PDB file of all heavy atoms in Angstrom:
ATOM      1  N   LYS W   5     176.139 101.495  96.484  1.00 59.00           N
ATOM      2  CA  LYS W   5     175.170 102.039  97.438  1.00 59.00           C
ATOM      3  C   LYS W   5     173.729 101.667  97.073  1.00 59.00           C
ATOM      4  O   LYS W   5     172.811 101.994  97.790  1.00 59.00           O
ATOM      5  CB  LYS W   5     175.286 103.572  97.497  1.00 59.00           C
ATOM      6  CG  LYS W   5     176.648 104.069  97.899  1.00 59.00           C
ATOM      7  CD  LYS W   5     176.932 103.817  99.341  1.00 59.00           C
ATOM      8  CE  LYS W   5     178.282 104.400  99.693  1.00 59.00           C
ATOM      9  NZ  LYS W   5     178.762 104.004 100.966  1.00 59.00           N
ATOM     10  N   SER W   6     173.517 100.986  95.932  1.00 71.00           N
ATOM     11  CA  SER W   6     172.159 100.646  95.541  1.00 71.00           C
ATOM     12  C   SER W   6     171.665  99.442  96.351  1.00 71.00           C
ATOM     13  O   SER W   6     172.428  98.591  96.761  1.00 71.00           O
ATOM     14  CB  SER W   6     172.082 100.331  94.045  1.00 71.00           C
ATOM     15  OG  SER W   6     172.817  99.161  93.764  1.00 71.00           O
ATOM     16  N   MET W   7     170.367  99.420  96.577  1.00 79.00           N
ATOM     17  CA  MET W   7     169.759  98.331  97.325  1.00 79.00           C
ATOM     18  C   MET W   7     168.896  97.504  96.377  1.00 79.00           C
ATOM     19  O   MET W   7     168.296  98.030  95.458  1.00 79.00           O
ATOM     20  CB  MET W   7     168.898  98.883  98.460  1.00 79.00           C
ATOM     21  CG  MET W   7     169.691  99.576  99.536  1.00 79.00           C
ATOM     22  SD  MET W   7     168.649 100.220 100.855  1.00 79.00           S
ATOM     23  CE  MET W   7     167.893  98.748 101.471  1.00 79.00           C
ATOM     24  N   GLY W  12     156.830  94.629  97.890  1.00 93.00           N
ATOM     25  CA  GLY W  12     156.034  95.855  97.941  1.00 93.00           C
ATOM     26  C   GLY W  12     156.572  96.960  97.060  1.00 93.00           C
ATOM     27  O   GLY W  12     155.840  97.892  96.729  1.00 93.00           O
ATOM     28  N   ASP W  13     157.858  96.891  96.662  1.00 94.00           N
ATOM     29  CA  ASP W  13     158.421  97.889  95.752  1.00 94.00           C
ATOM     30  C   ASP W  13     157.840  97.689  94.351  1.00 94.00           C
ATOM     31  O   ASP W  13     157.414  96.598  93.989  1.00 94.00           O
ATOM     32  CB  ASP W  13     159.947  97.766  95.684  1.00 94.00           C
ATOM     33  CG  ASP W  13     160.637  98.222  96.961  1.00 94.00           C
ATOM     34  OD1 ASP W  13     159.982  98.857  97.804  1.00 94.00           O
ATOM     35  OD2 ASP W  13     161.840  97.924  97.096  1.00 94.00           O
ATOM     36  N   GLY W  34     155.783  98.016  86.569  1.00 92.00           N
ATOM     37  CA  GLY W  34     154.553  98.465  87.217  1.00 92.00           C
ATOM     38  C   GLY W  34     154.001  97.468  88.213  1.00 92.00           C
ATOM     39  O   GLY W  34     153.197  97.841  89.068  1.00 92.00           O
ATOM     40  N   LEU W  41     155.880  83.170 100.476  1.00 86.00           N
ATOM     41  CA  LEU W  41     154.990  82.478 101.406  1.00 86.00           C
ATOM     42  C   LEU W  41     155.692  82.046 102.687  1.00 86.00           C
ATOM     43  O   LEU W  41     155.082  82.006 103.752  1.00 86.00           O
ATOM     44  CB  LEU W  41     154.366  81.252 100.727  1.00 86.00           C
ATOM     45  CG  LEU W  41     153.447  81.568  99.546  1.00 86.00           C
ATOM     46  CD1 LEU W  41     152.992  80.276  98.881  1.00 86.00           C
ATOM     47  CD2 LEU W  41     152.258  82.378 100.005  1.00 86.00           C
ATOM     48  N   LEU W  43     159.218  83.200 103.624  1.00 84.00           N
ATOM     49  CA  LEU W  43     160.056  84.275 104.159  1.00 84.00           C
ATOM     50  C   LEU W  43     159.280  85.538 104.517  1.00 84.00           C
ATOM     51  O   LEU W  43     159.734  86.338 105.326  1.00 84.00           O
ATOM     52  CB  LEU W  43     161.144  84.641 103.148  1.00 84.00           C
ATOM     53  CG  LEU W  43     162.124  83.544 102.751  1.00 84.00           C
ATOM     54  CD1 LEU W  43     163.016  84.021 101.620  1.00 84.00           C
ATOM     55  CD2 LEU W  43     162.946  83.127 103.957  1.00 84.00           C
ATOM     56  N   THR W  47     163.996  90.268  99.598  1.00 94.00           N
ATOM     57  CA  THR W  47     164.623  91.074  98.550  1.00 94.00           C
ATOM     58  C   THR W  47     164.686  90.257  97.263  1.00 94.00           C
ATOM     59  O   THR W  47     164.661  89.031  97.287  1.00 94.00           O
ATOM     60  CB  THR W  47     166.049  91.507  98.940  1.00 94.00           C
ATOM     61  OG1 THR W  47     166.837  90.343  99.169  1.00 94.00           O
ATOM     62  CG2 THR W  47     166.038  92.393 100.167  1.00 94.00           C
ATOM     63  N   GLU W  49     166.539  89.929  93.180  1.00 94.00           N
ATOM     64  CA  GLU W  49     167.671  90.258  92.318  1.00 94.00           C
ATOM     65  C   GLU W  49     167.314  89.876  90.889  1.00 94.00           C
ATOM     66  O   GLU W  49     166.792  88.796  90.634  1.00 94.00           O
ATOM     67  CB  GLU W  49     168.904  89.486  92.772  1.00 94.00           C
ATOM     68  CG  GLU W  49     170.151  89.857  92.012  1.00 94.00           C
ATOM     69  CD  GLU W  49     171.384  89.148  92.561  1.00 94.00           C
ATOM     70  OE1 GLU W  49     171.393  88.740  93.730  1.00 94.00           O
ATOM     71  OE2 GLU W  49     172.343  88.995  91.780  1.00 94.00           O
ATOM     72  N   GLN W  51     167.564  88.372  87.440  1.00 92.00           N
ATOM     73  CA  GLN W  51     168.296  87.227  86.895  1.00 92.00           C
ATOM     74  C   GLN W  51     168.451  87.319  85.383  1.00 92.00           C
ATOM     75  O   GLN W  51     169.396  86.787  84.819  1.00 92.00           O
ATOM     76  CB  GLN W  51     167.562  85.926  87.242  1.00 92.00           C
ATOM     77  CG  GLN W  51     167.406  85.701  88.720  1.00 92.00           C
ATOM     78  CD  GLN W  51     168.735  85.574  89.433  1.00 92.00           C
ATOM     79  OE1 GLN W  51     169.536  84.723  89.076  1.00 92.00           O
ATOM     80  NE2 GLN W  51     168.966  86.414  90.415  1.00 92.00           N
ATOM     81  N   ASP W  62     169.067  71.613  77.129  1.00 53.00           N
ATOM     82  CA  ASP W  62     169.712  70.408  76.617  1.00 53.00           C
ATOM     83  C   ASP W  62     170.696  70.706  75.494  1.00 53.00           C
ATOM     84  O   ASP W  62     171.284  69.809  74.917  1.00 53.00           O
ATOM     85  CB  ASP W  62     168.684  69.382  76.159  1.00 53.00           C
ATOM     86  CG  ASP W  62     167.815  69.902  75.032  1.00 53.00           C
ATOM     87  OD1 ASP W  62     167.975  71.069  74.627  1.00 53.00           O
ATOM     88  OD2 ASP W  62     166.960  69.134  74.548  1.00 53.00           O
ATOM     89  N   GLN W  63     170.891  71.975  75.193  1.00 52.00           N
ATOM     90  CA  GLN W  63     171.847  72.464  74.201  1.00 52.00           C
ATOM     91  C   GLN W  63     171.649  71.798  72.844  1.00 52.00           C
ATOM     92  O   GLN W  63     172.590  71.473  72.144  1.00 52.00           O
ATOM     93  CB  GLN W  63     173.283  72.266  74.692  1.00 52.00           C
ATOM     94  CG  GLN W  63     173.568  73.037  75.948  1.00 52.00           C
ATOM     95  CD  GLN W  63     174.979  72.859  76.445  1.00 52.00           C
ATOM     96  OE1 GLN W  63     175.706  71.978  76.008  1.00 52.00           O
ATOM     97  NE2 GLN W  63     175.373  73.703  77.377  1.00 52.00           N
ATOM     98  N   LEU W  66     173.375  73.106  69.731  1.00 56.00           N
ATOM     99  CA  LEU W  66     174.787  72.820  69.529  1.00 56.00           C
ATOM    100  C   LEU W  66     175.018  71.442  68.902  1.00 56.00           C
ATOM    101  O   LEU W  66     176.098  71.154  68.415  1.00 56.00           O
ATOM    102  CB  LEU W  66     175.547  72.903  70.854  1.00 56.00           C
ATOM    103  CG  LEU W  66     175.483  74.256  71.557  1.00 56.00           C
ATOM    104  CD1 LEU W  66     176.219  74.188  72.886  1.00 56.00           C
ATOM    105  CD2 LEU W  66     176.042  75.355  70.692  1.00 56.00           C
ATOM    106  N   ASN W  67     173.989  70.598  68.964  1.00 56.00           N
ATOM    107  CA  ASN W  67     174.106  69.258  68.399  1.00 56.00           C
ATOM    108  C   ASN W  67     173.749  69.305  66.923  1.00 56.00           C
ATOM    109  O   ASN W  67     172.662  69.741  66.567  1.00 56.00           O
ATOM    110  CB  ASN W  67     173.170  68.282  69.114  1.00 56.00           C
ATOM    111  CG  ASN W  67     173.509  68.156  70.581  1.00 56.00           C
ATOM    112  OD1 ASN W  67     174.647  68.336  70.960  1.00 56.00           O
ATOM    113  ND2 ASN W  67     172.514  67.850  71.395  1.00 56.00           N
TER     114      ASN W  67
END
Side-chain angles (χ1 to χ4, degrees):
K5 301 289 183 191
S6 66
M7 293 180 61
D13 289 347
L41 296 175
L43 300 173
T47 59
E49 185 176 336
Q51 300 298 303
D62 61 358
Q63 298 180 347
L66 300 177
N67 298 332

